[in-house]
């Protein structure tokens, strides 16, 4: 006699459909905060920006690369978004020297974000290496791409055959 647990009839099976997270690459520039429209010196260090929707928020991922200054190589070593420091982590990225990644989340999709960058080699006088800038992103169409590709649907079904099998086995056990 095979003994099935009595709670088997209550078991539900959940199937997740289309739960992959999609990241959208966007065109980006780092602009000088003091001279509207002029690119910041750090713009050349900006390799890639991508955005994905996580819950009701937007996660931004930036890949920074090192630059050459007067025969020396250096890159962004500290980064702030709207006054809050964002940790930089070493990563790998094809054909990029010493890539660093910054990941931060904001409650809304923004095309302009106030940031600050610090480059050690530019810190000739204390504080001179930290510069305010504006991260400008081309977000046209991004919201729609993220909405249509991150659908989360769940189908919940009760397995009726498990309930029938349990009743049958119980009846067989009662008759033996």
């Amino acid at each position: 006699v095979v003994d099935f647990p009595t709670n088997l009839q209550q078991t539900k099976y959940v199937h997740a459909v289309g739960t992959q997270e999609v990241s959208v690459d966007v065109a980006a520039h780092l602009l000088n905060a003091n001279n509207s429209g002029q690119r910041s010196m750090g713009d050349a260090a900006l390799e890639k920006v991508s955005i994905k929707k996580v819950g009701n928020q937007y996660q931004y991922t930036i890949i920074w690369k090192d630059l050459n200054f007067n025969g020396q190589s250096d890159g962004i070593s500290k980064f702030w978004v709207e006054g809050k420091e964002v940790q930089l982590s070493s990563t790998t990225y094809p054909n990029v020297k010493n890539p660093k990644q910054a990941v931060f989340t904001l409650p809304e999709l923004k095309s302009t974000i106030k940031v600050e960058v610090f480059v050690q080699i530019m810190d000739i006088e204390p504080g001179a290496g930290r510069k305010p800038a504006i991260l400008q992103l081309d977000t046209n169409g991004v919201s729609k791409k993220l909405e249509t590709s991150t659908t989360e649907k769940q189908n919940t079904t009760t397995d009726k055959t498990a309930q029938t099998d349990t009743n049958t086995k119980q009846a067989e056990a009662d008759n033996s």
Side-chain angles (χ1 to χ4, degrees), residues 19 25 30 36 43 50 64 82 86 98 118 129 136 168:
T19 57
D25 292 348
L30 196 61
S36 177
D43 184 62
S50 59
W64 298 102
E82 296 179 347
V86 174
N98 194 26
F118 178 82
Q136 184 171 9
T168 304

Side-chain angles (χ1 to χ4, degrees), residues 41-115:
M41 288 178 65
D43 184 62
L46 189 58
E47 179 65 25
K48 176 184 170 183
V49 177
S50 59
I51 303 170
K52 72 178 174 182
K53 191 162 186 188
V54 178
N56 291 328
Q57 300 196 22
Y58 293 88
Q59 183 178 330
Y60 300 77
T61 302
I62 301 174
I63 303 292
W64 298 102
K65 64 182 175 183
D66 276 3
L67 300 174
N68 291 319
F69 298 102
N70 300 325
Q72 294 181 306
S73 180
D74 199 6
I76 307 291
S77 56
K78 290 187 179 183
F79 180 62
W80 295 263
V81 174
E82 296 179 347
K84 296 177 185 170
E85 186 168 3
V86 174
Q87 293 300 310
L88 296 176
S89 58
S90 294
T91 189
T92 55
Y93 196 80
N95 304 315
V96 172
K97 183 178 180 181
N98 194 26
K100 291 187 178 79
Q101 177 176 280
V103 179
F104 59 94
T105 304
L106 295 174
E108 59 190 320
L109 181 62
K110 291 187 168 190
S111 58
T112 58
I113 303 170
K114 291 181 180 181
V115 299

